[in-house]
Amino acid sequence: MGNCPLQKNSSQYHLPFSIEKNSSPFHENNLQFLQKLLRLILRTMIKCHCAEVFFENILSVVKETNRPILEVAREMGAADTCTACVPDMVAFIQREMEGLSLAGNSNYR
C-alpha cells in the first residue's frame, strides 16, 4: 500500500500501533466507538453499488429474519450483478452480528 501506515489483513485493516487504555484519555466505551468508526471509514464499500442497497439495510433484515446473508441480499437485489460487494458486505454483517449464531450464514455461496 505504498506509504500508507495501514496494513490490510483478511478484509480488515490494522494500524501498525495500538491504543493503550491506561495511557489514553478515552474511556472503554469511547474506544469501542472509535474502533467501530475506524472500521466504517476504512471499509471499502458500504453498499451494493449495482443495486444501491446499503449493507445496514441488509443487516437489519438478517437480524429480523435470522436468514442467510446472501439470501437476504439477493432478495433485495444486491450481491447478484457484479458481486464485488460480497466480501465487504459479508465481513461487515459478520462483525455487526458478532456473538449471534445465524443458521446458514457460514456459507456465502
Side-chain angles (χ1 to χ4, degrees):
M1 292 178 67
N3 294 330
C4 182
L6 300 174
Q7 300 169 352
K8 188 170 184 180
N9 181 5
S10 70
S11 81
Q12 291 184 346
Y13 288 89
H14 299 280
L15 294 172
F17 57 87
S18 61
I19 300 172
E20 297 296 326
K21 289 181 185 176
N22 296 337
S23 63
S24 171
F26 299 107
H27 296 286
E28 186 173 342
N29 289 341
N30 290 340
L31 282 175
Q32 290 172 358
F33 170 77
L34 290 173
Q35 288 168 345
K36 188 172 183 177
L37 181 62
L38 184 60
R39 283 196 306 265
L40 289 172
I41 292 168
L42 297 175
R43 187 174 57 241
T44 306
M45 297 178 115
I46 62 170
K47 68 178 180 178
C48 170
H49 290 273
C50 296
E52 296 294 320
V53 176
F54 285 89
F55 298 161
E56 289 282 347
N57 297 343
I58 297 167
L59 173 65
S60 295
V61 175
V62 168
K63 281 182 176 180
E64 290 171 14
T65 64
N66 198 31
R67 291 173 39 225
I69 296 168
L70 286 183
E71 180 181 308
V72 169
R74 289 187 174 131
E75 217 171 75
M76 296 174 78
D80 207 24
T81 303
C82 80
T83 68
C85 63
V86 172
D88 289 331
M89 177 187 61
V90 170
F92 167 74
I93 292 174
Q94 283 181 330
R95 280 192 304 270
E96 295 299 311
M97 298 294 292
E98 228 170 54
L100 298 177
S101 174
L102 294 176
N105 280 338
S106 58
N107 301 318
Y108 308 119
R109 296 185 178 162

